[in-house]
Amino acid sequence: MKELDNPYKQLLDLNKSMAGSAGIQAMAKLGKIVSPPPNLVVSVDGMPITKAFIWLDEYWLQGHERHTKGHLVSATQNRAGGGGYAEFASHNHDIDNDYTENIIMTDTWHVGDTVLLIPIVGQDNKTVEQYAVLCKLVRLDGVY
């Protein structure tokens, strides 16, 4: 892959070539959120797809818990005390600590958001039976 190549276009081209060789006409689609999770409904080509036919990245469920860990090296801001005494002169405190944290996600999709859907075909390798909803998409030029 060249540095300036669009990796998403290459991924879609790969998907298209694999689908074409298998006789599948299903391709990635853009959908619009009609109803956000937990009662998710996505409109695809004007047809509503309900949560019974959707696989969802759990990140988009409100209340999804993520675990983080790391190491923080920093310092507090300088602060001066009172009375002009040396022990109250302007000073800071070093921070050099490991940390672990649990983060509970509260963001989700909203009505009108555009999402990427990947069709999941059935046993016949042709019929789309479900969709994987991967992410929310935005265009930088504000179109769509």
Side-chain angles (χ1 to χ4, degrees):
M1 179 170 82
K2 297 178 209 147
E3 186 175 332
L4 298 177
D5 287 348
N6 182 337
Y8 299 107
K9 181 183 180 312
Q10 289 182 336
L11 181 62
L12 289 174
D13 289 345
L14 177 63
N15 185 13
K16 185 177 184 179
S17 70
M18 289 186 325
S21 66
I24 302 169
Q25 299 304 314
M27 296 286 296
K29 299 266 187 183
L30 294 180
K32 286 281 188 181
I33 299 295
V34 175
S35 175
N39 297 314
L40 183 61
V41 178
V42 181
S43 176
V44 181
D45 296 331
M47 183 175 72
I49 306 296
T50 64
K51 66 182 182 180
F53 301 98
I54 292 175
W55 287 90
L56 178 66
D57 181 346
E58 69 179 339
Y59 173 87
W60 291 102
L61 294 176
Q62 284 187 329
H64 171 68
E65 190 168 342
R66 305 213 42 182
H67 307 284
T68 63
K69 67 179 181 177
H71 188 82
L72 180 64
V73 177
S74 187
T76 61
Q77 294 181 359
N78 285 337
R79 292 287 171 114
Y85 298 106
E87 59 267 24
F88 297 117
S90 180
H91 68 283
N92 67 4
H93 297 273
D94 289 335
I95 300 171
D96 190 357
N97 295 321
D98 291 327
Y99 70 88
T100 59
E101 191 71 41
N102 290 349
I103 301 170
I104 297 175
M105 309 309 279
T106 59
D107 55 345
T108 190
W109 292 316
H110 299 92
V111 172
D113 285 348
T114 300
V115 293
L116 176 65
L117 294 107
I118 304 294
I120 300 170
V121 296
Q123 294 288 334
D124 65 1
N125 288 327
K126 294 180 183 179
T127 307
V128 174
E129 293 184 354
Q130 301 177 66
Y131 283 94
V133 184
L134 299 181
C135 57
K136 175 181 171 181
L137 298 174
V138 296
R139 287 196 42 160
L140 298 179
D141 60 4
V143 175
Y144 195 78

